[in-house]
Amino acid sequence: MGRRLSGKIVIATHNAGKLREMRELLAPYGIEAVSAGELGLGEPDETASDFAGNALIKAQSAAKAANLPAFADDSGLCVEALGGAPGILSARWAGEAKDFYAAMDRIRREVEATGAKKPWRAYFISALALCWPDGHVEQFEGRVDGDLVFPPMGTAGFGYDPCFRPDGHERTFGEMTAEEKHGIPADGSRALSHRARAFQALARGCLA
Ligand code: IMP
């Protein structure tokens, strides 16, 4: 059991979608979340070489600046035939235009060029970091494995969802409802998405 989280925390994101999702996940535990954007905090450079390191940079910077416990996440898609790429560069592969269809097509072309046999394996990772102003840190990670699907299927979700079919399922994340993908099962069974799995670990460690 990690350090218990209570009261008010800062969500170290400037992304409105992530903030909404985290607020919804934390509300049942009586935790009030304010965002780094609302507090006018800056965005530190994500200079680490892995997801956990980047989540830690964001949470530490916000905890220090706001003098409150802070929460941050970092996530992305790792393709086995590409040695884990795009990984921490997942957002960057979509470019300024945030064109994820172009990014998914780049994955298809690059994997094809390796000659890798199908199914093409990939996984999503979500790394979460919680930091307190006294420097205490708790970190959690969630992962979901699956196959890449081309052409991409479905229009739900975001990012790389349409080209990822999680193991044990017939449909891609792009063909699932948000509840199906990110929902935290009330019966205590394992959630599906990397983000929901990481949050389950956080809830068990710091919110129980
Ligand atoms: P960040 O965590 O905000 O740095 O973004 C990571 C990148 O990975 C984004 O470009 C997302 O589109 C992608 N990504 C992370 N999680 C998911 C997911 O659940 N579905 C699809 N794409 C995702």
Side-chain angles (χ1 to χ4, degrees):
M1 174 63 72
R3 184 186 286 189
R4 200 168 186 286
L5 187 64
S6 61
K8 187 167 165 179
I9 71 164
V10 184
I11 310 284
T13 183
H14 288 71
N15 174 324
K18 273 192 189 175
L19 177 65
R20 189 178 337 108
E21 197 176 300
M22 289 318 305
R23 274 204 173 122
E24 284 166 8
L25 288 166
L26 291 166
Y29 297 95
I31 291 179
E32 185 197 341
V34 290
S35 78
E38 286 163 345
L39 293 178
L41 307 182
E43 286 182 87
D45 289 335
E46 297 178 27
T47 52
S49 58
D50 60 12
F51 297 108
N54 282 331
L56 188 60
I57 287 173
K58 290 184 269 190
Q60 274 174 332
S61 149
K64 204 167 156 207
N67 200 30
L68 282 170
F71 168 92
D73 82 312
D74 200 51
S75 59
L77 178 70
C78 301
V79 176
E80 293 191 1
L82 302 182
I88 57 169
L89 303 178
S90 292
R92 243 169 283 171
W93 275 35
E96 294 250 319
K98 298 197 187 335
D99 184 347
F100 282 95
Y101 281 89
M104 288 188 278
D105 199 53
R106 176 171 171 191
I107 289 176
R108 182 189 60 76
R109 282 185 279 109
E110 292 200 8
V111 177
E112 235 158 41
T114 68
K117 287 213 172 53
K118 290 184 179 170
W120 293 345
R121 301 290 294 161
Y123 52 92
F124 277 112
I125 292 273
S126 167
L128 306 182
L130 264 177
C131 285
W132 279 258
D134 68 1
H136 184 80
V137 172
E138 299 277 350
Q139 292 195 263
F140 304 92
E141 199 158 274
R143 168 173 169 155
V144 57
D145 287 80
D147 291 338
L148 291 176
V149 173
F150 292 103
M153 304 281 285
T155 52
F158 65 100
Y160 297 92
D161 279 344
C163 74
F164 183 82
R165 183 172 56 222
D167 289 345
H169 292 259
E170 298 294 323
R171 287 166 300 139
T172 67
F173 273 168
E175 297 172 291
M176 292 185 184
T177 63
E179 181 57 25
E180 217 176 332
K181 181 188 165 195
H182 291 306
I184 310 273
D187 63 3
S189 60
R190 196 175 186 215
L192 180 57
S193 79
H194 48 309
R195 199 164 290 103
R197 286 177 178 174
F199 190 82
Q200 267 183 329
L202 180 148
R204 288 189 189 118
C206 298
L207 296 171

